[in-house]
Amino acid sequence: MDIVKSKAATIKKFNKSTKPTIVLMTRWHATYRCKSRLSKDIGAFKAAKIQEKLTNHTINVAKGIQKKGLAEIKVAIDGIGLKAARKWALLNKVKTIAIQGHGNLGTKMKRQFLKTHSENNISHKNRNPILLIGTDLPSISHFELIQAIHILNEKEMVLGPSSDGGYWLIGLSHKLLNPLCSWPFSGISWGTDKVLQQTIQLASSNKINYQLLQTKNDLDNIMDLSPWLDYKSFLLSASSYQL
């Protein structure tokens, strides 16, 4: 009986020590603070409402993973102060909230990897992989996140390619986090269609074992809305579009 209890405790401890953290990278859904390209097409107010819907959807998907005990979630937000962010997190039942801080996307991502890994070390979760995901994907589901988690059990890195040449997810294993490698965040032309290509090239040159997920389309401009609208009335309905 003692042996059985000991084995169960070992399994529980193992799962806790390797449970990944999923960090959601989003922008505050206020008028003129998000979706600048989409704002030019449908107006800043409606673009902000779409950003809010996308953020809530991504949080709900990630919460589903958390409820299954497969990961812990954290939201890293941009365009709002920490006090206001904490108030928003409380209303939306988000336990862990952080501010992205200044810098380009690479700097912001590196900051979140460093902070999250440091927090995990304090909590004695030093072998936990970390995944960063964007919140511009209406089609994101539990399946892709579970798949990414499983991949990190075998690979050092996982990437979710986006159709614009970037990626909607990046996950790093404990090996790349301790200490945090610098190559995924430097030498990348952020904001261009070369981000994914350059990241893969750097991974290959550093002999990193990686795997790609399904390619998805970020919702950044009016044409990205077309799959969710009637094509024949697309241009007419865009002016009054409500997600």
Side-chain angles (χ1 to χ4, degrees), residues 23 108-118 130-132 170-172 177 180 185:
V23 182
K108 292 177 179 180
M109 290 195 302
K110 184 176 182 179
R111 182 179 295 118
Q112 293 310 313
F113 273 119
L114 283 169
K115 289 180 64 177
T116 305
H117 185 60
S118 177
I130 299 172
L131 300 96
L132 267 58
I170 178 172
L172 301 181
L177 291 168
L180 181 66
F185 316 106

Side-chain angles (χ1 to χ4, degrees), residues 224-241:
D224 296 330
L225 294 172
S226 57
W228 296 277
L229 296 172
D230 179 2
Y231 181 75
K232 292 181 180 180
S233 59
F234 173 58
L235 294 178
L236 294 175
S237 61
S239 61
S240 60
Y241 179 71

Side-chain angles (χ1 to χ4, degrees), residues 120-202:
N120 286 346
N121 280 339
I122 293 173
S123 302
H124 304 290
K125 303 172 185 176
N126 56 357
R127 295 191 62 83
N128 296 49
I130 299 172
L131 300 96
L132 267 58
I133 63 173
T135 55
D136 294 328
L137 297 159
S139 62
I140 194 170
S141 68
H142 301 86
F143 173 77
E144 287 93 4
L145 295 185
I146 293 173
Q147 185 182 16
I149 291 170
H150 286 321
I151 288 172
L152 283 180
N153 289 331
E154 305 293 335
K155 307 287 186 177
E156 295 169 327
M157 181 178 74
V158 58
L159 291 168
S162 57
S163 55
D164 61 2
Y167 50 78
W168 56 269
L169 176 149
I170 178 172
L172 301 181
S173 69
H174 168 69
K175 179 180 178 180
L176 300 184
L177 291 168
N178 191 29
L180 181 66
C181 53
S182 61
W183 59 265
F185 316 106
S186 59
I188 303 293
S189 303
W190 300 108
T192 72
D193 60 359
K194 304 296 184 183
V195 172
L196 178 67
Q197 176 186 341
Q198 291 174 347
T199 303
I200 291 175
Q201 288 174 344
L202 285 169

